[in-house]
Amino acid sequence: MIRLAPLAALVAALAGPAALAQEPAARAQIGPRPFHLVDTMKPGPVREALRACGPERPYTVRDFSISHRGAPLQFPEHTVEGVKAAARMGAGIIECDVAFTKDRELVCRHAQCDLHRTTDILSRPALAAKCSQGFTPADPATGRKASAKCCASDLTLAEFKSLNGKMDAADPNATTLDAYMNATPRWRTDLYATTGTLMTHKEYIALVKSLGRKFTPELKAPEVPMPFEGSYSQDQYAQQLIDDYKAAGIPPADVFPQSFLLRDVLYWIRAEPDFGRQAVFLDEREGGGFDTAKPETWSPSMSDLAGRGVRILAPPLWMLVAPGPDGTIVPSAYAREARKAGLDLIAWSLERSGPLESGGGWYYQSVKPLIDRDGDMLTLLDVLHRQIGVRGVFSDWPATTTFYANCVGAP
């Protein structure tokens, strides 16, 4: 006999994000990918421990799992669809990179001038005409690469909102506009990329709040002279970001504002201390003598950062690890000194590199000789958690970090 669920239970099941947010430990849908990654790991105790976490067990939302731009392994970045996917996969914290439009409204974009790569603007003649630089095809005869430059600050908010998001890609060798735009890497997909819904920063706040998740907005470095149009300063830009959370009634403890510019982090620490105590300084130092193994090349030093009120440091994956003497991945001097100075660490970004059979590219550069399969990202994740003690990891596919966090008991 078929038994029908009570009406109240059915209504709750269909209630969507609000019902999900009310659960004390919201369930996560992690799908088959984490188990595939475990299957491809090298034999060893980490693999065996993770294999013990089967698909039949419940998985719950974890703050250790931080959504990088939504879920851009398969969904266009910084779209409503990507944010919802990240929440369903158990990301406890979801990112919005913040840029500004011509009328100084905040929107979610990875860079101020990436619309030619991440939206359909070039196929919309009236809007493409507003781009800082229109499409120029490649010229094989001269070696000229295809190019374009379309910025959020080229458009009003209304114009920005009329665009559709697409997968982040552009072919520099394209001789036609279609080829330039249709360049999604083979390890991503366009299956969900036809109608990506762009978001303002305020819309992102409302959506993430409805999903019961926390926020990590990144103030993107402007690609236009500041003050913008002579009157919109960097500090006004940084303050506007915080003001949006205050207006929405978001507790400061739920917000982790980020910037690659130390001046922004120090501004928040000084002007908005309730938010500033969780401000994240993004560190991407390369060149200029910087060496993760040599503290004397770091400026400012870890102790200097801590002394100025910085509490959370977020470098790319490769800066936190190094090859060990026995052919294993171990914490780098950079990681050890950061923890010694009392700094919390967040790493970025897992699953950004595509297949890892050839060393993992930029994100794995410090341990490239040790990387030869996709399962190695879980090995690296285990070092970040167990040996370094990072508080979270950004991922382009949050199900992977959600799975790992549940298996090992990370928060």
Side-chain angles (χ1 to χ4, degrees):
M1 181 177 70
I2 298 175
R3 299 187 64 182
L4 298 179
L7 180 60
L10 181 60
V11 170
L14 297 176
L20 181 65
Q22 292 169 4
E23 296 183 16
R27 293 291 181 93
Q29 304 169 14
I30 63 171
R33 180 163 175 76
F35 305 104
H36 164 72
L37 294 176
V38 172
D39 288 342
T40 66
M41 293 178 72
K42 299 180 180 74
V46 177
R47 183 189 187 202
E48 292 309 306
L50 296 181
R51 289 186 75 174
C53 295
E56 69 285 346
R57 64 166 286 173
Y59 290 87
T60 58
V61 174
R62 300 297 170 113
D63 285 355
F64 183 85
S65 178
I66 306 174
S67 157
H68 181 240
R69 312 188 201 179
L73 188 64
Q74 293 195 20
F75 293 83
E77 63 186 47
H78 294 313
T79 60
V80 169
E81 294 80 6
V83 166
K84 288 182 176 179
R88 289 168 180 148
M89 287 188 280
I93 304 172
I94 297 177
E95 182 182 43
C96 164
D97 293 320
V98 176
F100 57 85
T101 61
K102 187 174 182 63
D103 44 357
R104 304 177 191 182
E105 295 291 337
L106 301 185
V107 295
C108 294
R109 283 297 88 198
H110 175 64
Q112 186 175 14
C113 297
D114 72 357
L115 298 183
H116 54 286
R117 295 181 56 90
T118 62
T119 76
D120 61 352
I121 189 170
L122 292 177
S123 65
R124 313 273 287 275
L127 295 178
K130 297 175 179 287
C131 290
S132 295
Q133 176 196 328
F135 171 67
T136 301
D139 184 349
T142 64
R144 183 186 68 200
K145 297 295 186 182
S147 63
K149 184 179 181 181
C150 302
C151 306
S153 52
D154 292 333
L155 306 180
T156 66
L157 178 61
E159 291 166 339
F160 172 87
K161 285 284 292 176
S162 73
L163 299 172
N164 291 317
K166 75 175 190 69
M167 298 300 280
D168 179 14
D171 182 359
N173 298 311
T175 56
T176 67
L177 177 59
D178 283 347
Y180 182 76
M181 294 181 63
N182 297 313
T184 302
R186 63 177 179 81
W187 44 270
R188 291 187 179 141
T189 177
D190 286 318
L191 185 62
Y192 308 109
T194 55
T195 57
T197 307
L198 303 193
M199 297 179 293
T200 68
H201 182 229
K202 291 177 181 176
E203 289 170 338
Y204 151 83
I205 292 173
L207 176 58
V208 173
K209 181 180 180 180
S210 77
L211 295 167
R213 303 299 193 263
K214 297 177 183 177
F215 312 81
T216 185
E218 179 190 334
L219 196 74
K220 298 307 296 188
E223 296 182 43
V224 294
M226 297 293 278
F228 178 60
E229 296 185 337
S231 59
Y232 184 57
S233 71
Q234 184 70 24
D235 286 353
Q236 288 174 307
Y237 178 32
Q239 184 62 50
Q240 185 178 356
L241 181 145
I242 299 299
D243 287 345
D244 281 352
Y245 292 92
K246 296 167 74 173
I250 305 299
D254 288 349
V255 184
F256 297 83
Q258 316 168 66
S259 181
F260 280 103
L261 299 179
L262 181 57
R263 60 154 297 167
D264 294 335
V265 174
L266 296 179
Y267 172 83
W268 290 322
I269 290 170
R270 181 182 73 255
E272 292 286 351
D274 288 344
F275 290 89
R277 65 173 50 95
Q278 290 197 151
V280 180
F281 176 39
L282 298 162
D283 193 353
E284 193 183 12
R285 288 176 285 182
E286 287 188 272
F290 177 83
D291 187 332
T292 56
K294 298 178 179 178
E296 64 273 16
T297 67
W298 310 341
S299 180
S301 68
M302 299 298 182
S303 58
D304 288 341
L305 288 173
R308 299 173 77 176
V310 176
R311 297 186 178 189
I312 306 174
L313 185 63
L317 299 171
W318 70 267
M319 288 174 61
L320 291 171
V321 292
D326 56 352
T328 60
I329 298 173
V330 300
S332 66
Y334 176 99
R336 295 195 304 270
E337 290 299 314
R339 300 298 287 138
K340 183 179 176 181
L343 296 170
D344 282 352
L345 292 168
I346 293 174
W348 48 272
S349 293
L350 209 68
E351 307 212 60
R352 187 71 189 168
S353 299
L356 304 188
E357 65 263 16
S358 58
W362 186 86
Y363 287 91
Y364 297 82
Q365 58 186 278
S366 61
V367 290
K368 185 175 181 178
L370 307 179
I371 304 297
D372 64 10
R373 64 193 71 192
D374 284 354
D376 287 335
M377 70 178 70
L378 288 172
T379 303
L380 173 59
L381 196 56
D382 194 67
V383 174
L384 294 173
H385 170 64
R386 295 187 189 276
Q387 299 187 43
I388 299 175
V390 301
R391 67 182 294 162
V393 178
F394 281 96
S395 175
D396 278 22
W397 197 244
T400 300
T401 44
T402 299
F403 163 79
Y404 176 85
N406 274 266
C407 286
V408 303

